Amino acid sequence: MPGAIYAEGLVKTFGDVTALDGVDLDVPEGTVLGLLGPNGAGKTTTVRVLTTLLQPDRGTAVVAGIDVLKHPNEVRRSIGLSGQFAAVDEYLTGRENLHMVGQLYQLNGKAAKARAGELLDRFNLADAADRPAKTYSGGMRRRLDLAAALVVSPPVMFMDEPTTGLDPRNRQQLWEVIQELVAGGTTLLLTTQYLEEADRLAHDICVVDHGKVIARGSSDQLKARTGGERVEVVVHQGDQIAPARDVLAGFGKGEVAIEEHTRRLTVPVTGGAKLLAEVIRELDTRGVEIDDIGLRRPTLDDVFISLTGHAAEAPPEEGGEDADVTPKPRKEAAK
């Protein structure tokens, strides 16, 4: 049986641009799928197709057991969606925004009001509940938008880069909310540029590039695919990068990666702790003073670079809770 989110052979073109080129997905009920990829890889287009906002040129999509193309209205009643941009009515208060969404979901007035209060507390917005949303910081608008997507606790959720614009404390809080939702049986498709986020939350990960799924599996499976261990060294002075690179090149099984601004050097190796001890001795012999050294497994960043040829793009400037995230009109489903 297909999962709570299922897609086969999704194709979508915009003129000469192929946004989706045969995307297949299968997300079991009560799990999180992390959708990773470079900017323009097709992540948001996939979300828009699955949430009935776009019709694919070809392919099949089923969400919560409902055919997306044949019964879009039924799909909309079964999902929640938080898009890339905070989309709230800036002239309404936070409480009024959530109350309005509850009524659109056909909750009665009392239930909509109670749910709005619960979500305002959950997302630390209670103190600003009766202020117009236009007075909110970017991070506060983002949290209000996420709260709106959870008004009816839908069985299937789509979150398109949900923590962009949140400071670390509020990002951590959202992760806890996501984990609670999934523990309660919610199925989630999550797109993100924060590889730490995917590593922590996703049961499975799909990497997309140029509209195609180029790799899939758990975080551990993808890291194993990249293979090997890494020796990572931080030298004490910038002028010691060159001799440290020479030492690591002699032990490594690939190119030495250098981050000049952090004085960090990394190289793939085989040999484990015994080799690490040899590297330390050689650095000492060469007079290279180090601040830190360690042996680590590949990260999702390593996986991403291996698969796509470059690191994940940094998300838009956060600016913490004062980030200016310009709201755009919401056209998402079920609102």
Side-chain angles (χ1 to χ4, degrees), residues 230 245 248-249 252-258 265-268:
R230 272 81 173 141
R245 179 189 58 215
L248 293 182
K253 299 298 181 182
E255 185 178 350
V256 180
I258 300 173
L265 301 90
T266 307
V267 66

Side-chain angles (χ1 to χ4, degrees), residues 20 29 31 33 48 65 72 77 94 96-97 125 144 147 152 156 160 169 183 189 194 216 235 237 242 244 297 309-310:
L20 301 180
E29 185 176 342
T31 67
L33 176 71
R48 290 176 66 81
R77 286 192 286 268
E96 289 168 342
N97 266 281
L125 291 170
L144 182 61
V152 293
V156 179
D160 197 3
R169 179 176 62 84
L189 189 149
Y194 296 107
R216 71 182 72 202
V235 298
Q237 298 288 348
R297 296 180 60 207
H310 55 82

Side-chain angles (χ1 to χ4, degrees), residues 158-212:
F158 295 85
M159 293 186 177
D160 197 3
E161 301 190 14
T163 58
T164 297
L166 298 185
D167 63 23
R169 179 176 62 84
N170 283 292
R171 185 176 301 136
Q172 175 78 28
Q173 181 189 48
L174 178 61
W175 290 351
E176 292 172 358
V177 170
I178 289 173
Q179 289 170 327
E180 290 173 9
L181 287 171
V182 176
T186 299
T187 304
L188 172 65
L189 189 149
L190 168 77
T191 77
T192 181
Q193 294 285 13
Y194 296 107
L195 298 184
E196 177 193 3
E197 187 164 270
D199 210 354
R200 172 162 175 174
L201 297 177
H203 297 89
D204 286 294
I205 294 169
C206 278
V207 182
V208 294
D209 200 11
H210 297 99
K212 297 182 178 180

Side-chain angles (χ1 to χ4, degrees), residues 71-318:
H71 306 290
N73 288 333
E74 292 182 32
V75 170
R76 291 168 192 152
R77 286 192 286 268
S78 301
I79 65 173
L81 169 62
S82 176
Q84 283 191 359
F85 300 96
V88 299
D89 189 321
E90 62 180 14
Y91 293 102
L92 298 180
T93 67
R95 191 185 308 279
E96 289 168 342
N97 266 281
L98 298 183
H99 187 262
M100 175 187 67
V101 172
Q103 291 184 311
L104 289 174
Y105 274 114
Q106 299 182 344
L107 297 180
N108 63 43
K110 184 176 181 180
K113 183 177 180 180
R115 183 60 173 160
E118 178 184 333
L119 289 167
L120 289 165
D121 286 336
R122 191 175 196 179
F123 284 88
N124 290 331
L125 291 170
D127 290 343
D130 298 311
R131 283 169 36 197
K134 66 181 179 181
T135 68
Y136 286 15
S137 68
M140 292 170 68
R141 289 181 183 180
R142 190 65 176 142
R143 283 184 280 145
L144 182 61
D145 180 73
L146 293 167
L150 296 174
V151 165
V152 293
S153 301
V156 179
M157 279 288 301
F158 295 85
M159 293 186 177
D160 197 3
E161 301 190 14
T163 58
T164 297
L166 298 185
D167 63 23
R169 179 176 62 84
N170 283 292
R171 185 176 301 136
Q172 175 78 28
Q173 181 189 48
L174 178 61
W175 290 351
E176 292 172 358
V177 170
I178 289 173
Q179 289 170 327
E180 290 173 9
L181 287 171
V182 176
T186 299
T187 304
L188 172 65
L189 189 149
L190 168 77
T191 77
T192 181
Q193 294 285 13
Y194 296 107
L195 298 184
E196 177 193 3
E197 187 164 270
D199 210 354
R200 172 162 175 174
L201 297 177
H203 297 89
D204 286 294
I205 294 169
C206 278
V207 182
V208 294
D209 200 11
H210 297 99
K212 297 182 178 180
V213 175
I214 60 174
R216 71 182 72 202
S218 68
S219 177
D220 285 342
Q221 287 169 338
L222 292 177
K223 291 173 185 178
R225 173 173 172 169
T226 302
E229 298 169 311
R230 272 81 173 141
V231 167
E232 190 172 86
V233 176
V234 178
V235 298
H236 186 64
Q237 298 288 348
D239 59 6
Q240 295 177 320
I241 290 176
R245 179 189 58 215
D246 293 341
V247 170
L248 293 182
F251 290 97
K253 299 298 181 182
E255 185 178 350
V256 180
I258 300 173
E259 297 177 9
E260 297 275 356
H261 65 291
T262 59
R263 308 183 307 281
R264 186 183 306 274
L265 301 90
T266 307
V267 66
V269 299
T270 58
K274 181 179 179 181
L275 180 134
L276 182 62
E278 295 175 5
V279 171
I280 293 172
R281 282 195 294 268
E282 185 63 22
L283 288 169
D284 186 58
T285 298
R286 300 278 191 100
V288 178
E289 187 176 355
I290 59 175
D291 289 343
D292 193 21
I293 188 169
L295 189 70
R296 64 170 176 80
R297 296 180 60 207
T299 65
L300 276 184
D301 234 333
D302 298 321
V303 172
F304 202 95
I305 292 170
S306 173
L307 293 170
T308 67
H310 55 82
E313 286 85 351
E317 183 65 29
E318 294 175 34

